[in-house]
Amino acid sequence: MANNEDLLKKITAHAKEYGFVFPSSEIYDGLSAVYDYGQLGVELKNNIKQYWWKAMVQMHENIVGIDSAIFMHPTIWKASGHVDAFNDPMIDNKDSKKRYRADNLIEDYLQKLEDKINKEVEKASKRFDNFDEQMFRATNQRVQEYQAKINNVNSRFQKAMINNDLHAIKALIEELGIVCPISGSRNWTEVRQFNLMFATQMGSTAEEADTIYLRPETAQGIFVNFLNVQKTGRMKVPFGIAQIGKAFRNEIVARQFIFRMREFEQMEMQFFVRPGEELKWFAYWKEERMKWHKSLGIKETKFRFHDHEKLAHYANAATDIEFEFPFGFKELEGIHSRTDFDLNAHQTYSGKKMQYFDPELNESYVPYVVETSIGLDRMFLAVLSNAYTEEKLEDGSERVVLKIPPFLAPYKFAVLPLVKKDGMPEKAREILATLQEDYNCQYDEKDAIGRRYRRQDAIGTPFCITVDNQTLEDNTVTIRFRDEMNQDRVSVEELPIIANRLLKNKR
Ligand code: ATP
């Protein structure tokens, strides 16, 4: 069984080998934390986008979408607090010259303690049949000691983060004896704040050039269009505005494949509500979004909530939906009650009213906002890592199969003539032409059928349709199912109905 680091390496290699994700600018040795999506990656990514858009926009009468520009007026980022406060605490190791996020070093330390507890509990449960009281006491004692340490470190860490106390963070790193994973030394610099926004210049001459930023989140494009959409769409509070688009962050440490990138995509929805009703809607969206994740058919234990103790400057409640990636539970989506912070700030900085007249209350107010914000690339990694399966088959051979939910798979059907003669390719292409109108399909006639099945398994195609000798006699084909590897014989005429049933509702 591969350890977790091995598993991530295997997934990364598989994603490259089969055209899902390539390192960016690879022929120039790549660009750190930037990736390109290949021919299959773009299909999976588009399917995830579509599934989200359908659930959030199409299925809600009171949610509409927009597509705002990446470049925005620089004052927007002053108003939102990003110019002054969109920072991460960074620290350098003087020996390895490597830079780290100071908060991540402490989080990793805490995670290691959690792992130790889990190991102790696992060991003890294995010895349960052979109960030994002395050993049980010793285990219990160790678990309690680890837990006490976690509680102590965590409360000091949270306090330091809330107060932005960089000295306290450094002191904690020193006291815990945290070493640089590369050099193994404790030779650290002071902790400093690092702004994550990319700045660039707009304007063709130096005199007229103005510093603008690549947006670090898509949310602000929604806030500054709030009244445009509300008025032109005749929207009534509560209502939402959704957007899918690129965001850019100059992450201090970018690692773990597409989990933390410098250029990535977000799928966000801002839900505008009456002041005082935001926590009710926060609870509503928390549940709704978890339901959406679970509707993907991924094991429920792979998801969990993580409620925030340290709240961002704009929030009065926040939670993460975490997913169990190969490197542990990490944030996949954030749900924040952002109060009226953003609209108020834009009202102040722009001098334009950001109010909504509520006809039922007969009064005007600045709405409160509940945000759901999910990283598309992280969702892609969640789907991919959950799907990646290595299987030993009964005949002793092995296969790698991507068990992607059929409605998200890049290709839904592969149409395969058993051999390249006797009219089978022609018949297969006829079937392909019918299915192609509704589904993304692949045609493949090269190599033995077994090898072609393996190729389709490796890219996650859920159904293979094979044209064989019998097809030419009675107009039937076999459908092979990716996960169980069993086959059904069905009539070609019924294929469109069967295809629809196999992929029902989730296209
Ligand atoms: P983290 O704590 O992991 O840095 P965050 O709390 O800063 O994430 P948000 O600002 O809440 O993230 O952004 C919303 C979502 O955008 C996240 O839940 C995540 O899925 C995605 N996201 C944020 N930063 C990145 C990144 N660098 N690469 C890929 N996805 C990201």
Side-chain angles (χ1 to χ4, degrees):
M1 174 78 185
N3 71 33
N4 292 342
E5 216 163 277
D6 276 353
L7 181 60
L8 184 65
K9 273 195 198 140
K10 283 182 176 184
I11 291 167
T12 310
H14 191 87
K16 183 172 171 223
E17 186 181 346
Y18 287 94
F20 283 88
V21 183
F22 305 124
S24 162
S25 323
E26 199 188 3
I27 59 168
Y28 292 96
D29 295 333
L31 184 64
S32 170
V34 187
Y35 289 89
D36 297 336
Y37 286 83
Q39 67 279 13
L40 294 186
V42 70
E43 297 290 344
L44 175 55
K45 202 174 175 196
N46 282 343
N47 292 342
I48 296 172
K49 278 191 213 181
Q50 227 176 53
Y51 188 53
W52 182 87
W53 193 264
K54 184 169 181 184
M56 299 301 280
V57 179
Q58 214 170 317
M59 300 302 288
H60 286 96
E61 267 176 51
N62 60 348
I63 300 181
V64 291
I66 61 165
D67 182 14
S68 69
I70 288 171
F71 291 145
M72 300 173 79
H73 195 287
T75 310
I76 287 171
W77 304 111
K78 189 81 191 144
S80 68
H82 282 82
V83 171
D84 297 320
F86 193 52
N87 302 317
D88 275 339
M90 68 171 184
I91 190 166
D92 293 284
N93 183 270
K94 291 182 196 163
D95 298 320
S96 67
K97 309 269 184 283
K98 285 279 170 201
R99 179 161 287 174
Y100 298 91
R101 263 178 68 174
D103 52 338
N104 286 354
L105 288 177
I106 297 172
E107 281 162 7
D108 289 349
Y109 178 90
L110 288 168
Q111 185 60 49
K112 279 190 193 130
L113 286 180
E114 296 259 4
D115 293 345
K116 280 187 180 163
I117 292 184
N118 291 338
K119 265 202 193 121
E120 291 284 353
V121 171
E122 201 184 324
K123 253 197 315 195
S125 64
K126 277 192 190 137
R127 287 197 306 255
F128 201 68
D129 289 344
N130 210 349
F131 187 73
D132 174 339
E133 194 175 341
Q134 216 177 350
M135 229 184 284
F136 176 75
R137 282 222 186 103
T139 303
N140 203 20
Q141 167 95 21
R142 280 196 297 274
V143 167
Q144 281 189 14
E145 279 167 14
Y146 289 141
Q147 194 56 57
K149 178 130 201 190
I150 290 175
N151 294 346
N152 177 291
V153 172
N154 199 28
S155 77
R156 289 165 61 198
F157 172 50
Q158 294 300 340
K159 195 166 152 215
M161 291 295 285
I162 288 166
N163 297 332
N164 267 327
D165 186 344
L166 302 182
H167 292 299
I169 295 172
K170 169 81 189 289
L172 208 47
I173 288 173
E174 279 179 343
E175 184 190 315
L176 299 174
I178 294 175
V179 297
C180 164
I182 309 281
S183 68
S185 90
R186 298 177 190 176
N187 198 5
W188 297 110
T189 61
E190 290 307 308
V191 177
R192 283 162 293 157
Q193 290 290 19
F194 179 80
N195 192 288
L196 301 183
M197 280 200 296
F198 284 100
T200 187
Q201 304 293 317
M202 186 175 256
S204 53
T205 63
E207 297 83 66
E208 71 182 36
D210 210 346
T211 298
I212 57 164
Y213 301 98
L214 296 187
R215 68 179 177 201
E217 62 176 26
T218 55
Q220 297 304 324
I222 294 179
F223 292 129
V224 297
N225 278 300
F226 150 72
L227 276 184
N228 282 339
V229 175
Q230 189 273 318
K231 286 187 177 142
T232 56
R234 293 176 295 118
M235 309 300 289
K236 287 204 173 74
V237 163
F239 73 93
I241 305 178
Q243 158 150 255
I244 299 177
K246 289 264 181 174
F248 304 83
R249 296 182 187 179
N250 198 2
E251 298 281 0
I252 297 172
V253 187
R255 57 192 165 131
Q256 292 158 332
F257 191 31
I258 54 173
F259 179 81
R260 190 173 298 286
M261 307 206 286
R262 297 202 165 104
E263 173 180 341
F264 58 99
E265 257 181 286
Q266 290 184 315
M267 307 193 284
E268 297 200 303
M269 192 277 299
Q270 310 295 327
F271 200 68
F272 300 90
V273 304
R274 281 182 185 162
E277 292 192 353
E278 72 277 10
L279 293 180
K280 177 185 93 181
W281 285 110
F282 173 75
Y284 172 82
W285 281 111
K286 201 174 148 177
E287 291 313 314
E288 275 300 295
R289 291 304 304 147
M290 188 56 110
K291 267 194 230 156
W292 182 86
H293 286 283
K294 291 182 174 169
S295 74
L296 290 162
I298 296 175
K299 251 203 324 214
E300 301 209 349
T301 51
K302 289 249 174 193
F303 298 98
R304 71 180 188 196
F305 284 118
H306 168 232
D307 295 330
H308 287 209
E309 287 174 44
K310 182 194 180 217
L311 292 171
H313 58 279
Y314 50 74
N316 69 358
T319 195
D320 295 336
I321 294 178
E322 293 187 336
F323 178 78
E324 192 177 15
F325 290 97
F327 36 85
F329 274 99
K330 295 274 180 217
E331 173 176 345
L332 171 60
E333 170 158 8
I335 298 153
H336 307 117
S337 170
R338 290 181 81 125
T339 68
D340 57 353
F341 174 86
D342 301 271
L343 291 181
N344 253 335
H346 289 307
Q347 190 164 263
T348 307
Y349 277 80
S350 68
K352 309 272 170 16
K353 275 216 157 73
M354 298 297 274
Q355 291 188 342
Y356 165 79
F357 177 74
D358 191 324
E360 278 174 36
L361 299 181
N362 201 25
E363 66 178 66
S364 293
Y365 53 78
V366 175
Y368 273 49
V369 174
V370 175
E371 160 186 86
T372 71
S373 173
I374 173 171
L376 175 55
D377 312 270
R378 282 191 193 175
M379 192 63 216
F380 184 104
L381 183 57
V383 170
L384 192 65
S385 58
N386 186 68
Y388 183 89
T389 316
E390 292 173 357
E391 281 180 353
K392 246 201 159 58
L393 305 180
E394 277 172 13
D395 63 4
S397 64
E398 285 176 13
R399 70 165 184 163
V400 172
V401 49
L402 292 186
K403 296 188 174 177
I404 301 174
F407 61 97
L408 294 182
Y411 292 115
K412 310 297 184 234
F413 297 95
V415 187
L416 318 169
L418 185 63
V419 289
K420 236 192 303 182
K421 56 181 186 185
D422 301 336
M424 286 186 213
E426 291 75 12
K427 182 69 187 172
R429 286 200 181 277
E430 237 176 66
I431 293 170
L432 179 77
T434 321
L435 289 173
Q436 258 174 340
E437 287 184 17
D438 294 309
Y439 310 100
N440 201 25
C441 301
Q442 195 173 53
Y443 174 83
D444 190 4
E445 59 179 22
K446 193 169 177 296
D447 298 324
I449 192 75
R451 286 188 69 178
R452 280 182 272 164
Y453 285 151
R454 288 287 173 281
R455 271 206 296 269
Q456 295 302 328
D457 288 345
I459 62 173
T461 309
F463 312 109
C464 287
I465 295 174
T466 306
V467 171
D468 54 16
N469 286 317
Q470 196 178 328
T471 311
L472 308 175
E473 287 162 17
D474 64 5
N475 208 30
T476 61
V477 286
T478 59
I479 300 187
R480 174 190 179 266
F481 298 87
R482 176 194 68 197
D483 297 351
E484 303 81 11
M485 292 190 293
N486 56 338
Q487 298 189 7
D488 267 357
R489 184 164 279 280
V490 301
S491 122
V492 170
E493 272 129 43
E494 276 176 344
L495 265 183
I497 297 167
I498 294 169
N500 187 43
R501 205 181 59 225
L502 290 172
L503 292 155
K504 68 174 176 252
N505 297 334
K506 295 203 169 159
R507 253 176 299 136

